[in-house]
């Protein structure tokens, strides 16, 4: 029963890049269980990769290694990191993408030692994947490099409380269905609450079926965050939503 | 050698939804062998998912669990099912998508018990994946819920015999190459037979190479059904074919 | 710890074709570790599949079986091959796609025996996948068919030396980011060198960060070949590059 290694990248699925990374892992960990998260992060969209990682990294069994390769700075002086946090290990560039783990108090990070044999443009295959393999084999973090005191941290903006119990937040990202994920949280009481976005007032409901087809609604999504959706439709297009747009929960 | 779990959904491959389902399975079945069928079923296209499932579910080794999550009714009163049929087990919503197995006489279905901790919008992760994991571990079907007497069944239309040995059918779906899959069957004798579709008469041949490049033909596809194709071309576009369009085999 | 089988095809990821091939492998090799390279080779683009295979086939652990199904001639008299070369085994049609292995002196190839039960249009599932499974189980190559003396070989054009140390080559292919891969090689000395392409002169640099954002450059890509790129941009679109276009390294 091999160690689990998840892969997240912006390499797309039409080239051999992902397969080359997998081969680099399997060369060290012949029985690794490889799980693709997605390789369709928009090219160089570190923010999107960070928000995705936040959703899944703590859901996998203890010992899982998460390899994240969205790396616009490849070949520059940007550091490459290995991180340990609780029972999870992560590998990726030091560009903020690993913040969901690094922001935990107990997280420890090391800077991966550069390899003389690494290509200048494909550290995912030549540096990061071998480091993920080493962690999957149980190599202690300290053996992979020097401790890093202040890795790059990017955090999701925190909502702002407003008078009368309202909260101001923003649209963080969209999913495939056009649902807008915000940084707002809401408890189970969806009763009389509404969300204002793009000059509209949208009711907060428990599930899609609580409004008529084609109608907009807000709901607490599966990540625990408030999402803005259109039943059987695409909220991004229908409501003209954009990343960073302000939202207010009343 | 872990149990095989196949995954079919309309979640796309750009979000973390599929990875979250996989994490939910691996949390229970650490050595599961996960096989993605496709996650690019058009959103909420239950019919397309059903036709895909029909093609593959009986091809996998005994004991395989098939998880199907195309679920427009998530969060409503629609039931979630676990099904046993021969050596296969299936999990999915009770919206007809599991009909290829449910239509067998020996199929048995139970209604999955709702979980208090399930999100309202992501039963794939919170209810269906854990049920698939339980089945993969060998949990008897009866332990997962109450028997369901009349699950929702959707069946592929049966062709209509016509005078003179002809058969009337319809276009069921298309594949990536633009080939139109019909509900017609034809034996090995492709001799003098033709298919009428969209005001054209197309010869029934054994293989693409039996016509010139760019020419239309009909052939018995790899599912055993008659398909309409264009050699080195896209039949859907070239012949103006649409789902549900009538076809006649003479 | 099951044998590794990689899969490369033009089947796309929206149909069940890939799953059906995997089921055919798992039926024989229940513990196979299946690694998708890509299934998004443009339909029938044998050349593209060959260039991809060249990048990855030697990177996988010894004993890996590479299944390649880009097969415009399916159903015709074209042969199907199993190949052994060093510690790797490959299976695919005899249309040149396996040339990266076949061009090695020690490569041995056999013609797969046709199966009476094979469909006329899906040899990937009915002939090639079972052959890959047999090789994965350790079946000697000779048991799979008769030796083939002269399999179809397609080789990448070799660059032409020019007076003054220049080399003439061509654009072979593009990756997802719009980088153009050429058939030119260059040593580590990128000092004063340039690449001419599409009436432009582009500097050869070590990495993207050696030019300003939006600027074109050439660099030695991760395959060891010279690539033409635009920092944070798409070289194919920005420079109007096309497959087969001449390039000159000075």
């Amino acid at each position: 029963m091999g160690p689990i290694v998840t892969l997240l990248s912006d390499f797309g699925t039409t080239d051999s890049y992902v397969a080359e990374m997998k081969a680099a892992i399997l060369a060290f960990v012949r029985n690794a269980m490889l799980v693709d998260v997605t390789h369709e992060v928009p090219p160089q969209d570190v923010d999107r990769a960070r928000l995705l990682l936040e959703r899944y990294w703590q859901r996998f069994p203890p010992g899982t290694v998460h390899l994240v390769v969205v790396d616009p700075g490849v070949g520059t002086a940007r550091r490459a990191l290995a991180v340990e946090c609780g029972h999870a290990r992560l590998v990726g560039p030091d560009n903020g993408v690993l913040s969901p783990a690094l922001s935990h108090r107990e997280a420890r990070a090391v800077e991966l030692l550069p390899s003389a044999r690494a290509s200048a443009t494909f550290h995912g295959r030549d540096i990061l994947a071998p480091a993920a393999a080493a962690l999957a084999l149980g190599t202690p973090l300290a053996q992979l490099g020097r401790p890093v005191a202040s890795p790059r941290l990017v955090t999701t903006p925190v909502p702002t409380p407003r008078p009368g119990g309202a909260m101001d937040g923003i649209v963080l990202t969209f999913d495939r269905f056009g649902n807008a994920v915000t940084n707002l949280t809401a408890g189970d009481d969806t009763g009389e609450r509404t969300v204002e976005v793009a000059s509209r007032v949208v009711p907060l409901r428990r599930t899609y079926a609580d409004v008529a087809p084609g109608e907009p609604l807000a709901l607490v999504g599966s990540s625990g965050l408030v999402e803005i959706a259109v039943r059987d439709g695409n909220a991004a297009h229908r409501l003209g939503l954009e990343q960073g747009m302000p939202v207010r929960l009343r």
Side-chain angles (χ1 to χ4, degrees), chain A residues 6 24 38 54 67 71 83 102 111 114 126 131 146 152 162-163 168 171 206 223 231 240-241 244:
Chain A
T6 77
T38 176
E54 190 154 303
L67 175 57
D71 191 10
V83 178
L102 287 169
E111 176 181 354
D126 297 336
R146 290 172 307 178
R152 178 121 196 260
R162 306 293 297 179
D168 276 2
V171 170
R206 201 183 63 83
S223 64
R231 181 176 173 188
L241 306 182

Side-chain angles (χ1 to χ4, degrees), chain A residues 139-169:
Chain A
T139 309
L141 191 73
Q143 283 187 23
L144 266 66
R146 290 172 307 178
V148 169
S150 53
R152 178 121 196 260
L153 273 183
V154 178
T155 50
T156 300
V158 174
T160 313
R162 306 293 297 179
M167 295 291 283
D168 276 2

